[in-house]
Amino acid sequence: MLRPRVIVCLDVKDGRVVKGTKFVGLRDVGDPVELARRYEAEGADEIVFLDISASHEGRGTLLETVRRTAEVLFIPLTVGGGVRTVEDMDALLRAGADKVSVNSGAVRDPSVLTRGAERFGSQCVVASIDAARLEDGPSGPGWYHHTHGGRTPTDLEAVAWAKACVDRGAGEILLTSMDQDGVRTGYDLELTRAVAEAVPVPVIASGGAGSAEHLREGFQEGKAAAVLLAGILHDGLTTVGALKESLASWGIPVRPSQPVAPEGA
């Protein structure tokens, strides 16, 4: 049984890490290599690197930036953005990614999940779902998946789409609430729990983390296997280590933060 994981997200645009609210109002927060190094030193269990403009701009992920980031990490690295083919997956894995996240490409061609899982193993294939609550959705009220960095709505109901992605080979679901993204009032626990109860693979809760309590809720009430956060770390409001200390004090069996030896030690 995997321990609950605390994952840090680096949303990357034009080679720089950015952060916004509800997928808009992006601001520069730093260099992906330096931030990845810092968050690993603080105790992050994994890093997620998302090239958020790749699909919208019709290009592949920035491989050189991925390569530079992977070179400084000893923890798992998931990379997504602009992944359309198995060849795209192969290029990212060769650049140093441990897992590849697919969003728009899976909607365009769901077989890419199956072919990726057959070639690299399902543990390498992450289905990324950006979901927003719609009261007048195509199938009625509910959460619906969006593509191209949240710009393009689809008629795919998020829970059903998550199940379909797993059926096609995805070994993990990265589930982002677009409604909660960047607002720091907590994860969408209802959405997270609905997906976690519907699929047999780990679900990563994303969108809305503002405190250690929100992480606890994501694990205990949302039934997430992992929680993802970004803004409160980028803005220096807390550290991964401090968050893990709080989680451990509440009985969440997170991995303890281990200090990273200085370069050359």
Side-chain angles (χ1 to χ4, degrees):
M1 186 73 176
L2 289 175
R3 284 177 180 262
R5 289 168 289 153
V6 176
I7 300 174
V8 181
C9 185
L10 306 178
D11 287 330
V12 179
K13 186 176 188 296
D14 300 325
R16 299 284 293 178
V17 178
V18 296
K19 192 69 185 84
T21 301
K22 299 185 179 181
F23 286 41
V24 297
L26 300 179
R27 55 190 172 83
D28 185 295
V29 295
D31 175 68
V33 178
E34 292 308 312
L35 288 175
R37 194 196 309 269
R38 178 203 304 174
Y39 296 137
E40 179 179 37
E42 289 181 5
D45 294 308
E46 297 183 19
I47 298 290
V48 168
F49 177 118
L50 299 177
D51 188 338
I52 60 172
S53 58
S55 291
H56 176 64
E57 295 173 0
R59 59 170 174 79
T61 312
L62 299 171
L63 288 177
E64 183 54 34
T65 306
V66 171
R67 188 173 293 110
R68 290 193 302 113
T69 303
E71 285 176 350
V72 305
L73 291 176
F74 293 94
I75 57 176
L77 173 66
T78 297
V79 180
V83 178
R84 295 179 289 273
T85 66
V86 173
E87 289 70 29
D88 292 336
M89 292 183 180
D90 182 72
L92 289 172
L93 292 169
R94 290 178 183 275
D98 297 283
K99 294 182 278 189
V100 178
S101 173
V102 189
N103 184 324
S104 305
V107 175
R108 184 184 302 107
D109 177 15
S111 73
V112 72
L113 299 173
T114 305
R115 290 181 285 114
E118 289 173 346
R119 182 166 173 182
F120 308 113
S122 62
Q123 79 284 348
C124 287
V125 181
V126 180
S128 179
I129 298 176
D130 295 332
R133 176 84 184 179
L134 299 178
E135 295 304 322
D136 57 349
S139 302
W143 300 278
Y144 289 85
H145 178 48
H146 289 58
T147 62
H148 299 85
R151 296 175 178 85
T152 306
T154 74
D155 61 359
L156 297 168
E157 192 276 322
V159 178
W161 178 236
K163 293 169 67 175
C165 288
V166 173
D167 288 343
R168 290 183 175 272
E172 192 166 58
I173 300 292
L174 172 53
L175 178 65
T176 301
S177 166
M178 295 177 60
D179 304 306
Q180 293 299 104
D181 179 69
V183 301
R184 301 182 186 178
T185 56
Y187 300 106
D188 187 328
L189 299 176
E190 186 181 358
L191 167 64
T192 304
R193 184 169 53 250
V195 174
E197 291 179 341
V199 299
V201 302
V203 173
I204 303 169
S206 170
S211 68
E213 178 67 18
H214 294 152
L215 274 62
R216 183 198 65 76
E217 293 171 348
F219 288 126
Q220 294 185 334
E221 299 177 39
K223 299 188 177 181
V227 292
L228 182 143
L229 62 157
I232 58 174
L233 299 175
H234 297 336
D235 290 344
L237 301 181
T238 187
T239 66
V240 178
L243 292 168
K244 281 189 161 186
E245 286 180 8
S246 294
L247 290 170
S249 73
W250 293 323
I252 306 294
V254 292
R255 295 183 183 90
S257 299
Q258 298 291 339
V260 174
E263 292 184 17

